[in-house]
Amino acid sequence: MGFERAASIKPAPLIDPFQRAITYLRVSVTDRCDFRCVYCMSENMSFLPKQDLLTLEELDRLCGAFIDRGVAKLRLTGGEPLVRRSIMTLVRALSRRLGDGLDELTLTTNGSQLPKYARELADCGVKRINVSLDTLDPDKFRAITRWGEFDKVMAGIDAAQSAGLAVKINAVALKGVNEDELVDLTAWSHGRGMDLTIIEVMPLGDIDENRLDQYLPLSMVRARLAERYTMREIDYRTGGPARYVHVAETGGRLGFITPLTHNFCESCNRVRLTCTGTLYMCLGQEDAADLRAPLRASESNDLVNAAIDAAILRKPKGHDFVIDRRHRGPAVTRHMSVTGG
Ligand code: SAM
Ligand code: SF4
């Protein structure tokens, strides 16, 4: 069917059993990545066979079905979304829905491919992106990402800003690794006109390291930042789970995502689609629905819509992450790179 939209009567919006409207879809377009961040992947990851992936046309069609059901914000993620071959074909196709159901098309990236794609992303109507960066120290950066090149990411951030994209930096707080750098990372981000969000490490997927060694509660991060900065809670929201403060000394915004110390599920408006067409209703639960079979079974979206309806009815009230002190394993066995961060 190519990148054409199937004509259909507008189906009902997606409301879950707890009366939350589902308006935000995150799509992991690939589970592959050019980095191997220590909190996200093991060094020797096995990836999905390429034949299991949805084509870009299929991903576009599924996203379109969600937009028809009231999804107004779409975030491409992964793995690294910009390493999927011909990814800009999908971005361009999705961008046609901007102003036609879709309010925002965005992505989360490690930044390595931004020198190549930043301008085209802006041309497609992408206004802001998240770039993950945990440290400003090139050696530490290499140790955290294993394979990443700091200079390339810096060039990527430069390219994004030159193309007019608003950049938000995402940093995972890692005990003993970057905890002493978060004050500087805040000053640096705000100095360049970028928001910074600090994320608590989540127990997702088997990695080579011990989660307990990495885990740093954001309450401690905040206490440390408060020694240097005057932080005032603000109402600012981006549709995601971060809670923001305004930092008086820098004039910038600082967000905190605290899945372990603060359960943010009550306002959850999102679901996650993987590159094989599996829909996860919650990042922290195993339950999922297959949308690939109904998608491939018919050219109309009726079966897909029925599968989406059935899935949304199973969206749980919330997740229940705990860092398991006895087993030291992951709370959820799939990696963040599969479900999409
Ligand atoms: N490759 C892209 C990137 O790094 O931005 C997109 C995918 S990545 C899985 C999305 C976000 O999830 C990144 O900001 C990353 O730091 C974060 N992340 C990965 N594993 C995590 C974990 N176990 N706990 C918390 N955040 C994690
Ligand atoms: Fe790749 Fe992003 Fe995971 Fe790092 S966090 S390994 S960049 S998917």
Side-chain angles (χ1 to χ4, degrees):
M1 194 168 63
F3 284 103
E4 295 308 311
R5 272 174 73 193
S8 60
I9 302 161
K10 209 162 179 59
L14 300 169
I15 309 289
D16 82 357
F18 305 96
Q19 299 309 309
R20 295 171 298 194
I22 308 306
T23 55
Y24 183 3
L25 177 69
R26 293 190 177 214
V27 187
S28 174
V29 296
T30 175
D31 62 333
R32 289 165 198 253
C33 188
D34 52 342
F35 292 6
R36 291 290 180 279
C37 302
V38 292
Y39 47 79
C40 180
M41 293 193 181
S42 64
E43 185 140 31
N44 302 305
M45 289 287 286
S46 40
F47 294 106
L48 294 162
K50 287 210 168 118
Q51 69 266 22
D52 286 0
L53 302 196
L54 294 184
T55 64
L56 296 176
E57 288 86 349
E58 287 173 326
L59 278 170
D60 177 49
R61 197 181 134 202
L62 263 186
C63 291
F66 277 95
I67 297 166
D68 290 341
R69 306 293 306 272
V71 162
K73 176 170 174 176
L74 221 147
R75 177 179 298 280
L76 303 184
T77 176
E80 173 47 41
L82 296 179
V83 302
R84 171 116 191 212
R85 187 186 296 208
S86 305
I87 184 63
M88 291 312 297
T89 316
L90 177 64
V91 175
R92 203 158 279 285
L94 292 171
S95 73
R96 292 202 225 136
R97 295 297 307 262
L98 283 167
D100 175 22
L102 193 60
D103 293 339
E104 183 170 20
L105 175 60
T106 183
L107 79 162
T108 301
T109 172
N110 65 24
S112 70
Q113 308 301 311
L114 283 174
K116 194 157 125 200
Y117 290 130
R119 192 142 309 267
E120 207 178 339
L121 287 167
D123 284 348
C124 287
V126 174
K127 299 265 186 272
R128 46 186 199 129
I129 58 172
N130 290 353
V131 179
S132 303
L133 178 74
D134 307 319
T135 176
L136 292 170
D137 173 336
D139 294 331
K140 222 186 259 184
F141 182 83
R142 175 49 72 115
I144 294 172
T145 62
R146 293 197 186 99
W147 297 4
E149 282 177 47
F150 182 76
D151 291 345
K152 233 170 141 183
V153 173
M154 286 297 132
I157 294 171
D158 290 344
Q161 290 198 304
S162 313
L165 296 171
V167 177
K168 177 167 80 76
I169 301 293
N170 278 348
V172 176
L174 297 163
K175 185 157 87 183
V177 178
N178 64 359
E179 58 179 303
D180 57 345
E181 255 198 89
L182 296 170
V183 166
D184 290 347
L185 202 55
T186 305
W188 177 81
S189 306
H190 291 176
R192 290 190 54 148
M194 304 183 291
D195 291 350
L196 170 68
T197 296
I198 302 176
I199 307 172
E200 210 163 53
V201 76
M202 286 177 265
L204 300 176
D206 260 324
I207 51 171
D208 302 330
E209 319 214 352
N210 184 340
R211 295 277 178 201
L212 267 182
D213 292 343
Q214 299 179 338
Y215 178 59
L216 177 64
L218 287 201
S219 49
M220 286 173 67
V221 169
R222 240 181 125 134
R224 195 152 171 180
L225 286 165
E227 291 169 12
R228 288 286 294 279
Y229 291 137
T230 318
M231 296 182 285
R232 176 174 51 83
E233 308 260 348
I234 50 174
D235 266 349
Y236 177 73
R237 280 291 162 87
T238 60
R243 301 281 154 87
Y244 283 87
V245 297
H246 175 267
V247 179
E249 289 77 2
T250 62
R253 271 189 300 250
L254 178 59
F256 296 94
I257 300 186
T258 54
L260 287 135
T261 49
H262 173 88
N263 201 304
F264 48 58
C265 306
E266 68 279 1
S267 59
C268 183
N269 58 353
R270 59 203 152 270
V271 288
R272 293 160 197 267
L273 183 67
T274 72
C275 54
T276 56
T278 303
L279 186 72
Y280 284 96
M281 287 71 84
C282 174
L283 179 65
Q285 304 271 3
E286 303 282 3
D287 189 26
D290 173 40
L291 300 184
R292 184 175 55 183
L295 183 80
R296 290 185 175 169
S298 158
E299 290 222 336
S300 109
N301 278 349
D302 293 351
L303 293 176
V304 168
N305 275 320
I308 293 174
D309 281 331
I312 298 301
L313 282 179
R314 301 207 307 270
K315 185 167 163 65
K317 192 163 181 204
H319 67 241
D320 187 23
F321 286 134
V322 278
I323 297 268
D324 190 327
R325 288 178 191 279
R326 280 163 305 146
H327 301 101
R328 301 191 160 213
V332 171
T333 51
R334 59 182 195 278
H335 291 88
M336 187 79 152
S337 50
V338 172
T339 331

